Amino acid sequence: MSKLPISLIIDDGGVVNTYSYHDLAHYHEQLIPPGMALQFGKLCEKYGVKGKFSVVPVPCCLGRLDEPEKINHVPAENVRTFVEYAKKYIAPRFSITPELLTHFLAWDDKVRKGKHYCEDTFVSRCTAEEIADYLSVGLKILDNIGLTPEGVSSPWSTGSDNEADYSKGIGMAFKKTFGVDRTFYFLHSRDPEFTKPREMCNSPETGRVITIPNNTKDAYWGSQNPASFDEAVKSVREGIDGLLSADGKSGKLRELYEACAPLVMITHWQSLYSDGRLIGLEGFEELLQRVQKTFGSSVEWMNFEELSQHYCP
């Protein structure tokens, strides 16, 4: 029996806590220290973890990552250090993607400002050509800082109501920017119709574009404010048990394993940070220990490019 693929999605990566711009009813740490990238990278190295790591090129419209001195409310050194750690400890194990451009308002790069509507609304109205032009900005920003992307991540459900143009635009953006004939995107999460990677389009104009879905909940989301420390710990423990019980006999990962579906998990950078308490990051290591003990050599960690090739050679 061949090994079953296992992979980890990290969304919203970077130096800014994107959730602080979306959950205005509660206090959240606005910045995530760059040292998180070092801690996370070392942990993944220890357990052999691979997957997809998104970086927001223009976090919450504060400024471009390739112009660190011009980013509002973020010390330039934070950006430089994050990029240094990400290149050394994360990129070797993870497929890097932009999460569109801002994970917030649609971005007008000519004037370096956000528009009055969010990216999901913008994409729903766009043609494939317009999506390609927009995404190309994010691809170039990440390439400029040495984190060359291999695919695209969707904030929220961006692209779901215009997926034909969205998938085409992604392929066109990669052909336009890097001259490559194959890429992937992450959009579908816990969708019964999307449990394995599949090809969404393939033409001379777009190349091959593969959608790679997520199959689990974020076990660590409840570790953020407004949960108290005890509430956050309880939520994470329940989340981990929901993915894989301590004895390895139940949980979503066990269900996926028995169904021979890829064990693709998701969490968010801010979930692991837990508003400075690192409860999510600690819980993540507990889950990795359970995965290692339960599945051992019967699973194989893959980044998203490898996962794409495995299911759509």
Side-chain angles (χ1 to χ4, degrees):
M1 179 180 175
S2 61
K3 296 182 180 181
L4 197 62
I6 183 170
S7 193
L8 175 70
I9 292 170
I10 299 289
D11 272 355
D12 306 352
V15 293
V16 174
N17 180 352
T18 59
Y19 197 45
S20 69
Y21 285 80
H22 299 302
D23 182 29
L24 301 179
H26 304 103
Y27 171 79
H28 295 281
E29 295 286 335
Q30 185 196 23
L31 302 182
I32 297 180
M36 262 284 293
L38 174 62
Q39 290 178 271
F40 172 76
K42 289 285 190 179
L43 190 60
C44 291
E45 185 177 54
K46 178 179 178 181
Y47 291 94
V49 179
K50 301 172 78 173
K52 187 279 302 179
F53 190 95
S54 72
V55 178
V56 185
V58 189
C60 299
C61 295
L62 298 176
R64 295 172 45 135
L65 290 184
D66 59 352
E67 298 175 347
E69 293 82 5
K70 299 179 181 180
I71 302 177
N72 294 317
H73 312 301
V74 181
E77 190 58 31
N78 283 33
V79 176
R80 296 191 188 97
T81 304
F82 168 79
V83 171
E84 176 188 347
Y85 288 152
K87 287 194 290 188
K88 185 173 182 179
Y89 297 105
I90 296 177
R93 310 193 66 85
F94 286 76
S95 299
I96 302 297
T97 70
E99 196 145 350
L100 289 203
L101 265 67
T102 74
H103 203 299
F104 191 41
L105 302 175
W107 179 252
D108 186 335
D109 198 57
K110 292 181 180 179
V111 296
R112 299 292 203 268
K113 288 183 179 181
K115 298 179 181 290
H116 64 278
Y117 44 83
C118 288
E119 288 184 311
D120 56 345
T121 299
F122 173 70
V123 168
S124 70
R125 303 170 179 171
C126 283
T127 64
E129 291 78 8
E130 290 168 333
I131 291 170
D133 289 342
Y134 187 76
L135 286 174
S136 292
V137 176
L139 300 184
K140 291 173 184 175
I141 291 172
L142 294 191
D143 189 50
N144 287 344
I145 61 176
L147 291 172
T148 303
E150 296 177 290
V152 168
S153 290
S154 303
W156 318 298
S157 59
T158 298
S160 60
D161 57 353
N162 189 20
E163 193 165 3
D165 278 311
Y166 186 54
S167 58
K168 291 176 184 176
I170 290 170
M172 292 165 65
F174 272 85
K175 291 207 76 167
K176 173 183 177 181
T177 307
F178 301 124
V180 298
D181 291 314
R182 182 187 179 102
T183 188
F184 64 82
Y185 66 95
F186 164 56
L187 165 60
H188 298 281
S189 189
R190 292 183 288 148
D191 185 338
E193 295 185 13
F194 290 86
T195 59
K196 298 178 181 179
R198 70 167 73 163
E199 182 179 282
M200 297 301 285
C201 57
N202 185 1
S203 72
E205 187 179 28
T206 65
R208 296 186 74 189
V209 182
I210 313 299
T211 182
I212 303 181
N214 155 59
N215 291 325
T216 71
K217 294 173 62 176
D218 182 347
Y220 320 106
W221 186 261
S223 68
Q224 303 174 77
N225 292 334
S228 68
F229 184 86
D230 289 343
E231 290 171 335
V233 170
K234 181 174 183 281
S235 175
V236 168
R237 286 175 178 167
E238 291 174 349
I240 294 171
D241 287 341
L243 289 180
L244 189 63
S245 61
D247 62 9
K249 295 181 179 180
S250 64
K252 185 62 178 179
L253 293 182
R254 168 55 71 179
E255 293 174 12
L256 292 169
Y257 184 83
E258 297 296 338
C260 293
L263 280 62
V264 181
M265 300 175 284
I266 189 170
T267 189
H268 296 75
W269 201 228
Q270 63 266 31
S271 298
L272 299 180
Y273 184 55
S274 312
D275 282 310
R277 299 175 293 195
L278 299 179
I279 298 166
L281 191 63
E282 292 176 8
F284 176 52
E285 182 166 20
E286 168 65 23
L287 177 67
L288 293 178
Q289 291 170 352
R290 293 185 185 186
V291 167
Q292 190 176 72
K293 178 182 177 182
T294 300
F295 301 119
S297 61
S298 66
V299 297
E300 180 181 359
W301 285 99
M302 296 183 181
N303 64 33
F304 263 33
E305 177 58 28
E306 293 166 337
L307 201 60
S308 169
Q309 292 284 353
H310 181 84
Y311 284 98
C312 303

